[in-house]
Coordinates of all heavy atoms in Angstrom, one line a residue:
H1352 N 37.9 -31.6 -36.2 CA 37.6 -30.8 -35.0 C 36.1 -30.5 -34.9 O 35.7 -29.6 -34.3 CB 38.5 -29.5 -35.1 CG 38.2 -28.7 -36.3 ND1 38.8 -28.8 -37.5 CD2 37.4 -27.6 -36.4 CE1 38.4 -27.9 -38.3 NE2 37.6 -27.2 -37.7
R1353 N 35.3 -31.3 -35.6 CA 33.9 -31.1 -35.5 C 33.3 -31.1 -34.1 O 32.4 -30.4 -33.8 CB 33.1 -32.0 -36.4 CG 33.4 -31.8 -37.9 CD 32.6 -32.7 -38.7 NE 33.0 -32.5 -40.1 CZ 32.5 -33.1 -41.1 NH1 31.6 -34.0 -40.9 NH2 32.9 -32.8 -42.4
I1354 N 33.8 -32.0 -33.3 CA 33.3 -32.1 -31.9 C 33.6 -30.8 -31.2 O 32.7 -30.4 -30.4 CB 34.0 -33.4 -31.2 CG1 33.2 -33.6 -29.9 CG2 35.4 -33.2 -30.9 CD1 33.5 -35.0 -29.3
Y1355 N 34.7 -30.2 -31.4 CA 35.0 -28.9 -30.8 C 34.1 -27.8 -31.3 O 33.7 -27.0 -30.5 CB 36.5 -28.6 -30.9 CG 37.4 -29.7 -30.4 CD1 38.2 -30.3 -31.3 CD2 37.5 -30.0 -29.1 CE1 39.1 -31.4 -30.9 CE2 38.3 -31.0 -28.7 CZ 39.1 -31.7 -29.6 OH 39.9 -32.7 -29.1
A1356 N 33.9 -27.8 -32.6 CA 33.1 -26.8 -33.2 C 31.6 -27.0 -32.7 O 30.9 -26.0 -32.4 CB 33.1 -26.9 -34.7
K1357 N 31.2 -28.2 -32.6 CA 29.8 -28.4 -32.1 C 29.7 -27.9 -30.6 O 28.7 -27.4 -30.3 CB 29.5 -29.9 -32.1 CG 28.1 -30.3 -31.7 CD 27.8 -31.7 -31.8 CE 26.4 -32.0 -31.3 NZ 26.1 -33.4 -31.3
A1358 N 30.7 -28.2 -29.8 CA 30.7 -27.7 -28.4 C 30.7 -26.2 -28.4 O 29.9 -25.6 -27.6 CB 31.9 -28.2 -27.7
L1359 N 31.5 -25.5 -29.3 CA 31.4 -24.1 -29.3 C 30.0 -23.6 -29.7 O 29.4 -22.7 -29.1 CB 32.5 -23.5 -30.3 CG 32.4 -22.0 -30.6 CD1 32.6 -21.2 -29.3 CD2 33.3 -21.6 -31.7
F1360 N 29.5 -24.2 -30.8 CA 28.1 -23.9 -31.2 C 27.1 -24.0 -30.1 O 26.3 -23.1 -29.9 CB 27.7 -24.8 -32.4 CG 26.3 -24.6 -32.9 CD1 26.0 -23.7 -33.8 CD2 25.3 -25.4 -32.4 CE1 24.7 -23.5 -34.2 CE2 24.0 -25.3 -32.8 CZ 23.7 -24.3 -33.7
E1361 N 27.1 -25.1 -29.4 CA 26.1 -25.3 -28.4 C 26.3 -24.4 -27.2 O 25.3 -23.8 -26.7 CB 26.2 -26.8 -27.9 CG 25.7 -27.8 -28.9 CD 25.9 -29.2 -28.5 OE1 26.6 -29.5 -27.5 OE2 25.5 -30.1 -29.3
A1362 N 27.5 -24.1 -26.8 CA 27.8 -23.1 -25.7 C 27.4 -21.7 -26.1 O 26.7 -21.0 -25.4 CB 29.2 -23.2 -25.3
A1363 N 27.7 -21.3 -27.4 CA 27.4 -20.0 -27.8 C 25.9 -19.9 -28.0 O 25.3 -18.8 -27.6 CB 28.1 -19.7 -29.2
Q1364 N 25.2 -20.9 -28.5 CA 23.8 -20.9 -28.6 C 23.1 -20.7 -27.2 O 22.2 -19.9 -27.0 CB 23.3 -22.1 -29.3 CG 21.8 -22.1 -29.7 CD 21.4 -23.3 -30.5 OE1 21.9 -24.4 -30.3 NE2 20.6 -23.0 -31.5
A1365 N 23.6 -21.5 -26.3 CA 23.0 -21.5 -24.9 C 23.2 -20.1 -24.2 O 22.3 -19.7 -23.4 CB 23.7 -22.6 -24.0
Q1366 N 24.2 -19.4 -24.6 CA 24.5 -18.1 -24.0 C 24.0 -16.9 -24.9 O 24.2 -15.8 -24.6 CB 26.0 -17.9 -23.8 CG 26.5 -18.9 -22.7 CD 28.0 -18.7 -22.4 OE1 28.6 -17.6 -22.7 NE2 28.7 -19.7 -22.0
G1367 N 23.3 -17.3 -26.0 CA 22.8 -16.2 -26.8 C 23.9 -15.5 -27.6 O 23.7 -14.3 -27.9
K1368 N 25.0 -16.2 -27.8 CA 26.2 -15.5 -28.5 C 26.5 -16.2 -29.8 O 27.7 -16.1 -30.3 CB 27.4 -15.6 -27.6 CG 27.2 -14.8 -26.3 CD 28.4 -15.0 -25.4 CE 28.3 -14.2 -24.1 NZ 29.5 -14.4 -23.3
L1369 N 25.6 -16.9 -30.4 CA 25.9 -17.6 -31.6 C 26.4 -16.8 -32.8 O 27.5 -17.1 -33.3 CB 24.7 -18.4 -32.1 CG 24.9 -19.5 -33.1 CD1 26.0 -20.5 -32.7 CD2 23.6 -20.2 -33.4
E1370 N 25.7 -15.7 -33.1 CA 26.2 -14.8 -34.1 C 27.5 -14.2 -33.8 O 28.4 -14.1 -34.7 CB 25.1 -13.7 -34.4 CG 23.9 -14.3 -35.1 CD 22.9 -13.2 -35.4 OE1 23.3 -12.1 -35.8 OE2 21.7 -13.5 -35.3
L1371 N 27.7 -13.8 -32.6 CA 29.0 -13.1 -32.2 C 30.1 -14.1 -32.3 O 31.2 -13.8 -32.9 CB 28.9 -12.7 -30.7 CG 30.2 -12.1 -30.1 CD1 30.6 -10.9 -30.8 CD2 30.0 -12.0 -28.6
A1372 N 29.9 -15.3 -31.8 CA 31.0 -16.4 -31.9 C 31.3 -16.7 -33.3 O 32.5 -16.8 -33.7 CB 30.6 -17.6 -31.1
H1373 N 30.3 -16.8 -34.1 CA 30.5 -17.1 -35.6 C 31.3 -16.0 -36.2 O 32.3 -16.3 -36.9 CB 29.2 -17.3 -36.3 CG 29.4 -17.7 -37.7 ND1 29.2 -16.7 -38.7 CD2 29.7 -18.8 -38.4 CE1 29.4 -17.3 -39.9 NE2 29.7 -18.6 -39.7
R1374 N 30.9 -14.8 -36.0 CA 31.6 -13.7 -36.6 C 33.1 -13.6 -36.2 O 34.0 -13.4 -37.0 CB 30.9 -12.4 -36.3 CG 31.5 -11.1 -37.0 CD 30.6 -9.9 -36.7 NE 30.6 -9.5 -35.3 CZ 29.6 -9.6 -34.5 NH1 28.4 -10.0 -35.0 NH2 29.6 -9.2 -33.3
Q1375 N 33.3 -13.8 -34.9 CA 34.6 -13.7 -34.3 C 35.5 -14.8 -34.8 O 36.7 -14.6 -35.2 CB 34.6 -13.6 -32.8 CG 34.1 -12.3 -32.3 CD 34.0 -12.3 -30.8 OE1 34.2 -13.3 -30.1 NE2 33.8 -11.1 -30.2
V1376 N 35.0 -16.0 -34.9 CA 35.8 -17.1 -35.4 C 36.2 -16.9 -36.9 O 37.3 -17.1 -37.3 CB 35.1 -18.5 -35.3 CG1 35.8 -19.6 -36.1 CG2 35.0 -18.9 -33.8
Q1377 N 35.2 -16.4 -37.7 CA 35.5 -16.1 -39.1 C 36.5 -15.0 -39.2 O 37.4 -15.1 -40.1 CB 34.2 -15.7 -39.8 CG 33.2 -16.8 -39.9 CD 33.7 -18.0 -40.7 OE1 34.4 -17.8 -41.7 NE2 33.4 -19.2 -40.3
Q1378 N 36.4 -13.9 -38.4 CA 37.4 -12.8 -38.5 C 38.8 -13.3 -38.1 O 39.8 -13.0 -38.8 CB 37.0 -11.7 -37.5 CG 35.8 -10.9 -38.0 CD 35.2 -10.0 -36.9 OE1 35.5 -10.1 -35.7 NE2 34.4 -9.0 -37.4
L1379 N 38.9 -14.1 -37.1 CA 40.2 -14.6 -36.7 C 40.8 -15.6 -37.7 O 42.0 -15.6 -38.0 CB 40.1 -15.3 -35.3 CG 39.8 -14.3 -34.2 CD1 39.3 -15.0 -32.9 CD2 41.1 -13.5 -33.9
A1380 N 39.9 -16.4 -38.3 CA 40.4 -17.3 -39.4 C 40.9 -16.5 -40.5 O 42.0 -16.8 -41.1 CB 39.3 -18.2 -39.8
A1381 N 40.2 -15.4 -40.9 CA 40.7 -14.6 -42.0 C 42.0 -13.9 -41.6 O 42.9 -13.8 -42.5 CB 39.6 -13.5 -42.3
A1382 N 42.2 -13.5 -40.4 CA 43.4 -12.9 -40.0 C 44.6 -13.9 -40.1 O 45.7 -13.5 -40.5 CB 43.3 -12.4 -38.5
V1383 N 44.4 -15.1 -39.7 CA 45.4 -16.1 -39.8 C 45.8 -16.4 -41.3 O 47.0 -16.5 -41.6 CB 45.0 -17.5 -39.2 CG1 45.9 -18.6 -39.5 CG2 44.8 -17.3 -37.7
V1384 N 44.8 -16.4 -42.2 CA 45.1 -16.6 -43.6 C 45.9 -15.4 -44.2 O 46.8 -15.6 -45.0 CB 43.7 -16.8 -44.4 CG1 44.0 -16.7 -45.9 CG2 43.1 -18.1 -44.0
E1385 N 45.6 -14.2 -43.7 CA 46.2 -13.0 -44.3 C 47.6 -12.8 -43.7 O 48.4 -12.2 -44.4 CB 45.3 -11.8 -44.0 CG 44.0 -11.8 -44.8 CD 43.1 -10.7 -44.4 OE1 43.6 -9.8 -43.7 OE2 42.0 -10.7 -44.8
A1386 N 47.9 -13.3 -42.5 CA 49.2 -13.1 -41.9 C 50.1 -14.3 -42.1 O 50.0 -15.3 -41.4 CB 49.0 -12.8 -40.4
D1387 N 51.0 -14.1 -43.1 CA 51.8 -15.3 -43.5 C 52.7 -15.8 -42.3 O 52.9 -17.0 -42.2 CB 52.7 -14.9 -44.7 CG 51.9 -14.7 -46.0 OD1 50.8 -15.2 -46.1 OD2 52.4 -13.9 -46.8
D1388 N 53.3 -14.8 -41.6 CA 54.1 -15.2 -40.4 C 53.3 -16.0 -39.4 O 53.8 -17.0 -38.9 CB 54.8 -14.0 -39.8 CG 55.8 -13.4 -40.7 OD1 56.2 -14.0 -41.7 OD2 56.2 -12.2 -40.4
L1389 N 52.1 -15.6 -39.1 CA 51.3 -16.2 -38.1 C 50.9 -17.6 -38.7 O 51.0 -18.6 -37.9 CB 50.1 -15.4 -37.8 CG 49.0 -16.0 -36.9 CD1 49.7 -16.3 -35.5 CD2 47.8 -15.1 -36.7
R1390 N 50.5 -17.7 -39.9 CA 50.1 -18.9 -40.5 C 51.3 -19.9 -40.5 O 51.1 -21.1 -40.1 CB 49.6 -18.7 -41.9 CG 49.4 -19.9 -42.8 CD 48.1 -20.6 -42.4 NE 47.9 -21.8 -43.1 CZ 46.8 -22.2 -43.6 NH1 45.7 -21.6 -43.3 NH2 46.7 -23.4 -44.2
A1391 N 52.5 -19.4 -40.8 CA 53.7 -20.3 -40.8 C 54.0 -20.8 -39.4 O 54.3 -22.0 -39.2 CB 54.9 -19.5 -41.3
L1392 N 53.8 -20.0 -38.4 CA 54.1 -20.4 -37.0 C 53.0 -21.5 -36.6 O 53.4 -22.5 -36.0 CB 54.0 -19.2 -36.0 CG 54.2 -19.6 -34.6 CD1 55.3 -18.9 -34.0 CD2 52.9 -19.4 -33.8
L1393 N 51.8 -21.2 -36.9 CA 50.7 -22.2 -36.5 C 50.8 -23.5 -37.3 O 50.4 -24.5 -36.8 CB 49.4 -21.5 -36.7 CG 49.1 -20.3 -35.8 CD1 47.8 -19.6 -36.2 CD2 49.1 -20.6 -34.3
D1394 N 51.4 -23.4 -38.5 CA 51.5 -24.6 -39.3 C 52.8 -25.4 -39.1 O 52.9 -26.5 -39.5 CB 51.4 -24.2 -40.8 CG 50.9 -25.3 -41.7 OD1 50.2 -26.2 -41.2 OD2 51.1 -25.2 -42.9
D1395 N 53.7 -24.8 -38.3 CA 55.0 -25.5 -38.1 C 54.9 -26.6 -37.1 O 54.5 -26.4 -35.9 CB 56.0 -24.4 -37.6 CG 57.4 -24.9 -37.4 OD1 57.6 -26.2 -37.4 OD2 58.3 -24.1 -37.4
P1396 N 55.2 -27.8 -37.5 CA 55.0 -29.0 -36.6 C 56.0 -29.0 -35.4 O 55.9 -29.6 -34.4 CB 55.2 -30.2 -37.5 CG 55.9 -29.7 -38.6 CD 55.6 -28.2 -38.8
E1397 N 57.1 -28.2 -35.6 CA 58.1 -28.1 -34.5 C 57.7 -27.1 -33.4 O 58.4 -27.1 -32.3 CB 59.4 -27.8 -35.1 CG 59.9 -28.9 -36.0 CD 61.4 -28.8 -36.3 OE1 62.1 -28.1 -35.6 OE2 61.8 -29.4 -37.3
V1398 N 56.7 -26.3 -33.6 CA 56.3 -25.4 -32.6 C 55.3 -26.1 -31.7 O 54.3 -26.7 -32.2 CB 55.6 -24.1 -33.2 CG1 55.0 -23.2 -32.1 CG2 56.6 -23.3 -34.1
E1399 N 55.5 -26.1 -30.4 CA 54.6 -26.8 -29.5 C 53.2 -26.3 -29.5 O 52.9 -25.1 -29.7 CB 55.1 -26.6 -28.0 CG 56.4 -27.3 -27.8 CD 56.8 -27.2 -26.3 OE1 56.0 -27.0 -25.5 OE2 58.0 -27.4 -26.1
S1400 N 52.2 -27.2 -29.4 CA 50.8 -26.9 -29.4 C 50.5 -25.8 -28.4 O 49.7 -24.9 -28.6 CB 50.0 -28.1 -29.1 OG 50.2 -29.0 -30.2
R1401 N 51.1 -25.9 -27.2 CA 50.9 -24.9 -26.1 C 51.3 -23.5 -26.6 O 50.6 -22.5 -26.3 CB 51.7 -25.3 -24.9 CG 51.4 -24.5 -23.7 CD 50.2 -25.1 -23.0 NE 50.2 -24.7 -21.6 CZ 49.1 -24.5 -21.0 NH1 48.0 -24.6 -21.7 NH2 49.1 -24.2 -19.7
T1402 N 52.4 -23.4 -27.3 CA 52.8 -22.1 -27.8 C 51.9 -21.6 -28.8 O 51.5 -20.4 -28.8 CB 54.2 -22.2 -28.4 OG1 55.1 -22.7 -27.4 CG2 54.7 -20.9 -29.0
K1403 N 51.4 -22.4 -29.7 CA 50.4 -22.0 -30.7 C 49.1 -21.5 -30.0 O 48.6 -20.5 -30.4 CB 50.1 -23.2 -31.6 CG 51.2 -23.6 -32.5 CD 50.9 -24.8 -33.3 CE 52.1 -25.3 -34.1 NZ 51.8 -26.5 -35.0
A1404 N 48.7 -22.2 -29.0 CA 47.5 -21.8 -28.2 C 47.7 -20.5 -27.6 O 46.8 -19.6 -27.6 CB 47.2 -22.9 -27.2
D1405 N 48.9 -20.2 -27.0 CA 49.1 -18.9 -26.4 C 49.1 -17.8 -27.4 O 48.6 -16.7 -27.2 CB 50.5 -19.0 -25.7 CG 50.4 -19.8 -24.4 OD1 49.3 -20.2 -23.9 OD2 51.5 -20.2 -23.9
V1406 N 49.7 -18.1 -28.6 CA 49.8 -17.1 -29.7 C 48.4 -16.8 -30.1 O 48.0 -15.6 -30.3 CB 50.7 -17.5 -30.8 CG1 50.5 -16.7 -32.1 CG2 52.1 -17.6 -30.4
L1407 N 47.6 -17.8 -30.4 CA 46.2 -17.6 -30.8 C 45.4 -16.8 -29.8 O 44.6 -16.0 -30.1 CB 45.5 -18.9 -31.1 CG 45.7 -19.5 -32.5 CD1 45.0 -20.8 -32.6 CD2 45.2 -18.5 -33.5
A1408 N 45.6 -17.1 -28.5 CA 44.9 -16.4 -27.4 C 45.2 -14.9 -27.5 O 44.4 -14.1 -27.3 CB 45.2 -17.0 -26.1
R1409 N 46.5 -14.6 -27.7 CA 46.9 -13.2 -27.8 C 46.3 -12.5 -29.1 O 45.8 -11.4 -29.0 CB 48.4 -13.1 -27.9 CG 49.0 -13.2 -26.5 CD 50.5 -12.8 -26.5 NE 51.2 -14.0 -25.8 CZ 52.1 -14.7 -26.4 NH1 52.5 -14.5 -27.6 NH2 52.7 -15.7 -25.7
V1410 N 46.3 -13.2 -30.2 CA 45.7 -12.7 -31.4 C 44.2 -12.5 -31.2 O 43.6 -11.5 -31.6 CB 45.9 -13.7 -32.6 CG1 45.0 -13.3 -33.8 CG2 47.3 -13.7 -32.9
A1411 N 43.5 -13.3 -30.4 CA 42.1 -13.3 -30.2 C 41.7 -12.4 -28.9 O 40.6 -12.3 -28.6 CB 41.5 -14.7 -30.0
R1412 N 42.7 -11.7 -28.4 CA 42.4 -10.9 -27.2 C 41.3 -9.9 -27.5 O 41.3 -9.3 -28.6 CB 43.7 -10.1 -26.8 CG 43.6 -9.4 -25.5 CD 44.9 -8.7 -25.2 NE 45.9 -9.1 -26.1 CZ 47.2 -8.8 -26.0 NH1 47.6 -8.1 -25.0 NH2 48.1 -9.2 -26.9
G1413 N 40.3 -9.9 -26.6 CA 39.2 -9.0 -26.8 C 38.0 -9.8 -27.4 O 36.9 -9.3 -27.3
A1414 N 38.2 -11.0 -27.9 CA 37.1 -11.8 -28.4 C 36.4 -12.4 -27.2 O 36.9 -12.4 -26.1 CB 37.7 -12.9 -29.3
D1415 N 35.2 -12.9 -27.4 CA 34.5 -13.6 -26.4 C 35.3 -14.7 -25.8 O 35.9 -15.5 -26.6 CB 33.1 -14.1 -26.9 CG 32.2 -14.5 -25.9 OD1 32.3 -15.7 -25.5 OD2 31.4 -13.7 -25.4
P1416 N 35.2 -14.9 -24.5 CA 35.9 -16.1 -23.9 C 35.6 -17.4 -24.5 O 36.5 -18.3 -24.6 CB 35.5 -16.0 -22.4 CG 35.2 -14.6 -22.2 CD 34.6 -14.1 -23.5
L1417 N 34.4 -17.6 -25.0 CA 34.1 -18.9 -25.7 C 34.9 -19.1 -26.9 O 35.4 -20.2 -27.1 CB 32.6 -18.9 -26.1 CG 31.5 -19.1 -25.1 CD1 30.1 -18.8 -25.7 CD2 31.6 -20.4 -24.5
V1418 N 35.1 -18.0 -27.6 CA 36.0 -18.1 -28.9 C 37.4 -18.3 -28.5 O 38.1 -19.2 -29.1 CB 35.8 -16.9 -29.7 CG1 36.7 -16.9 -30.9 CG2 34.3 -16.8 -30.2
V1419 N 37.9 -17.6 -27.5 CA 39.3 -17.7 -27.1 C 39.6 -19.2 -26.6 O 40.6 -19.8 -27.0 CB 39.7 -16.7 -26.1 CG1 41.1 -16.9 -25.5 CG2 39.5 -15.3 -26.6
N1420 N 38.7 -19.7 -25.8 CA 38.9 -21.0 -25.3 C 38.8 -22.1 -26.4 O 39.5 -23.1 -26.4 CB 37.8 -21.3 -24.2 CG 38.1 -20.5 -22.9 OD1 39.2 -20.1 -22.7 ND2 37.1 -20.3 -22.1
F1421 N 37.9 -21.9 -27.4 CA 37.8 -22.8 -28.5 C 39.1 -22.8 -29.3 O 39.6 -23.9 -29.6 CB 36.6 -22.3 -29.4 CG 36.6 -23.0 -30.8 CD1 36.2 -24.3 -30.9 CD2 37.0 -22.3 -31.9 CE1 36.2 -24.9 -32.1 CE2 36.9 -22.9 -33.2 CZ 36.6 -24.2 -33.3
L1422 N 39.7 -21.6 -29.5 CA 40.9 -21.6 -30.3 C 42.1 -22.2 -29.5 O 42.9 -22.9 -30.1 CB 41.3 -20.1 -30.6 CG 40.3 -19.4 -31.6 CD1 40.7 -18.0 -31.7 CD2 40.3 -20.1 -32.9
R1423 N 42.1 -22.0 -28.2 CA 43.1 -22.6 -27.4 C 43.0 -24.1 -27.4 O 44.0 -24.8 -27.6 CB 43.0 -22.1 -25.9 CG 43.6 -20.8 -25.6 CD 43.5 -20.6 -24.1 NE 44.6 -19.7 -23.6 CZ 45.8 -20.0 -23.6 NH1 46.3 -21.1 -24.0 NH2 46.7 -19.1 -23.1
L1424 N 41.8 -24.6 -27.3 CA 41.6 -26.0 -27.3 C 42.0 -26.7 -28.6 O 42.7 -27.7 -28.6 CB 40.1 -26.3 -27.0 CG 39.7 -27.8 -26.9 CD1 40.4 -28.5 -25.8 CD2 38.2 -27.9 -26.8
I1425 N 41.5 -26.1 -29.7 CA 41.9 -26.8 -31.0 C 43.4 -26.7 -31.3 O 44.0 -27.6 -31.9 CB 41.0 -26.3 -32.2 CG1 41.2 -24.8 -32.5 CG2 39.6 -26.7 -32.0 CD1 40.6 -24.4 -33.7
A1426 N 44.0 -25.6 -30.8 CA 45.5 -25.5 -30.9 C 46.2 -26.5 -30.1 O 47.1 -27.2 -30.6 CB 46.0 -24.1 -30.6
E1427 N 45.8 -26.7 -28.8 CA 46.4 -27.6 -27.9 C 46.2 -29.1 -28.4 O 47.0 -29.9 -28.1 CB 45.9 -27.4 -26.5 CG 46.4 -26.1 -25.9 CD 45.9 -25.8 -24.5 OE1 45.1 -26.6 -24.0 OE2 46.3 -24.8 -24.0
K1428 N 45.1 -29.3 -29.0 CA 44.8 -30.7 -29.5 C 45.3 -30.9 -30.9 O 45.1 -32.0 -31.5 CB 43.3 -30.9 -29.5 CG 42.6 -30.8 -28.1 CD 43.1 -31.9 -27.2 CE 42.4 -31.9 -25.9 NZ 42.9 -32.9 -25.0
G1429 N 46.0 -29.9 -31.5 CA 46.6 -30.1 -32.8 C 45.6 -30.2 -33.9 O 45.8 -30.8 -34.9
R1430 N 44.5 -29.5 -33.7 CA 43.4 -29.5 -34.7 C 43.2 -28.2 -35.5 O 42.1 -28.0 -36.1 CB 42.1 -29.9 -34.0 CG 42.1 -31.2 -33.2 CD 42.0 -32.3 -34.2 NE 41.8 -33.5 -33.4 CZ 42.3 -34.7 -33.7 NH1 43.1 -34.7 -34.7 NH2 42.1 -35.7 -33.0
L1431 N 44.2 -27.4 -35.5 CA 44.0 -26.1 -36.2 C 43.7 -26.2 -37.7 O 42.9 -25.5 -38.2 CB 45.2 -25.2 -36.0 CG 45.3 -24.5 -34.7 CD1 46.7 -23.8 -34.6 CD2 44.2 -23.5 -34.5
F1432 N 44.4 -27.0 -38.4 CA 44.3 -27.1 -39.8 C 43.7 -28.4 -40.3 O 44.3 -29.1 -41.2 CB 45.6 -26.8 -40.4 CG 46.2 -25.4 -40.1 CD1 47.2 -25.3 -39.2 CD2 45.6 -24.3 -40.6 CE1 47.7 -24.0 -38.8 CE2 46.0 -23.1 -40.2 CZ 47.1 -22.9 -39.4
Q1433 N 42.6 -28.8 -39.8 CA 41.9 -30.0 -40.2 C 41.1 -29.8 -41.4 O 40.6 -30.8 -41.9 CB 41.1 -30.5 -39.0 CG 41.9 -30.9 -37.8 CD 42.8 -32.1 -38.1 OE1 42.3 -33.1 -38.5 NE2 44.1 -31.9 -37.8
S1434 N 40.9 -28.6 -41.8 CA 40.1 -28.3 -43.0 C 40.9 -27.3 -43.8 O 41.9 -26.8 -43.5 CB 38.7 -27.9 -42.7 OG 38.8 -26.6 -42.1
Q1435 N 40.3 -26.8 -44.9 CA 40.9 -25.8 -45.7 C 40.9 -24.4 -45.0 O 41.7 -23.6 -45.2 CB 40.1 -25.6 -47.0 CG 40.3 -26.8 -47.9 CD 41.7 -27.0 -48.4 OE1 42.6 -26.2 -48.3 NE2 41.9 -28.2 -48.9
N1436 N 40.0 -24.3 -44.0 CA 39.9 -23.0 -43.3 C 40.5 -23.2 -41.9 O 40.0 -24.0 -41.2 CB 38.4 -22.6 -43.2 CG 37.7 -22.3 -44.5 OD1 38.4 -21.7 -45.4 ND2 36.5 -22.8 -44.6
P1437 N 41.5 -22.4 -41.6 CA 42.1 -22.5 -40.3 C 41.1 -22.1 -39.2 O 40.4 -21.2 -39.3 CB 43.3 -21.6 -40.3 CG 42.9 -20.6 -41.4 CD 42.1 -21.3 -42.4
A1438 N 41.1 -22.9 -38.1 CA 40.4 -22.5 -36.9 C 38.9 -22.6 -37.1 O 38.2 -22.1 -36.2 CB 40.8 -21.2 -36.4
V1439 N 38.4 -23.1 -38.2 CA 36.9 -23.3 -38.3 C 36.6 -24.7 -38.7 O 37.3 -25.4 -39.2 CB 36.3 -22.2 -39.3 CG1 36.2 -20.9 -38.7 CG2 37.1 -22.2 -40.6

């Protein structure tokens, strides 16, 4: 999901929101790790990507739209757990 992370980085940098986006992504990733039920839902291959994206958008409510859109995109593309850290 590096291409998506790079796009988020570039958009956040262009809008002067780099630190904000980084902090919010890290907070949301930590929330996913801490919430076993949420992690299980997001990791379940039988749950549709669209459903995962909707759940993440609800979890990220109040976050910057750049971050919410990034999470939706990686969920819809099935790229949530491409590394040890979810959503990052």
